[in-house]
Amino acid sequence: MKYMYMISAVLYFLTHHPIWSFLIILFFSFAMGILLSIWRNAILIPPKGEVFVAKYVPGFEGNILIMSDKSDYGKKWVLNKDLKPVAKAEAQLATSPTNPTFISEYRLALQAFIEKHRDGPDPDLIRSV
């Protein structure tokens, strides 16, 4: 019964205040679009000539999934993404090498990167990035 009052109030507002309703719906649509674009991992398609692992979707054999985390290209992409905070901290440290805040930020960024990728890809892949 409680939900009927809420539905009735929403429908009343939508029918009697169309301009405000349109603006509110438009605002929430843009907000949801921005949030979804932030929350979702990008579609990662390897470049031409790059070897990658693919998996067929059961029931839809025409569709495949590119297993980017199992290919060298995907692993390099993840490493580059994880190196961005290290590069930012390194650039800050280069501007002021004696600043203790920049030194500690650089040290923390390096420790976080090393800890995350300690048992990850082979060292040759890390050196190539």
Side-chain angles (χ1 to χ4, degrees), residues 37-128:
S37 69
I38 292 171
W39 288 336
R40 293 193 64 168
N41 235 341
I43 297 174
L44 182 61
I45 299 174
K48 202 173 205 175
E50 190 75 35
V51 178
F52 60 90
V53 178
K55 199 176 203 181
Y56 289 103
V57 178
F60 300 100
E61 282 71 27
N63 295 335
I64 62 169
L65 295 171
I66 297 175
M67 307 300 285
S68 59
D69 58 337
K70 300 199 188 278
S71 67
D72 284 341
Y73 174 75
K75 291 174 185 175
K76 286 179 189 175
W77 185 81
V78 169
L79 280 173
N80 283 329
K81 185 183 76 153
D82 292 341
L83 269 174
K84 285 182 183 179
V86 175
K88 180 184 174 211
E90 184 179 19
Q92 284 180 336
L93 184 62
T95 60
S96 178
T98 58
N99 188 334
T101 306
F102 292 164
I103 293 170
S104 66
E105 285 180 13
Y106 182 63
R107 185 174 291 136
L108 289 174
L110 269 177
Q111 286 174 347
F113 177 78
I114 291 170
E115 187 62 34
K116 183 172 183 182
H117 295 284
R118 181 179 309 272
D119 299 325
D122 59 358
D124 294 332
L125 184 62
I126 291 176
R127 273 188 235 111
S128 71

Side-chain angles (χ1 to χ4, degrees), residues 1-73:
M1 208 56 169
K2 183 170 141 180
Y3 297 112
M4 294 302 288
Y5 293 119
M6 290 177 15
I7 292 172
S8 177
V10 169
L11 290 176
Y12 177 83
F13 181 82
L14 290 173
T15 56
H16 286 84
H17 305 287
I19 295 174
W20 284 111
S21 300
F22 173 74
L23 292 175
I24 290 171
I25 292 171
L26 186 67
F27 171 76
F28 280 117
S29 299
F30 279 128
M32 288 302 294
I34 291 170
L35 289 175
L36 284 175
S37 69
I38 292 171
W39 288 336
R40 293 193 64 168
N41 235 341
I43 297 174
L44 182 61
I45 299 174
K48 202 173 205 175
E50 190 75 35
V51 178
F52 60 90
V53 178
K55 199 176 203 181
Y56 289 103
V57 178
F60 300 100
E61 282 71 27
N63 295 335
I64 62 169
L65 295 171
I66 297 175
M67 307 300 285
S68 59
D69 58 337
K70 300 199 188 278
S71 67
D72 284 341
Y73 174 75

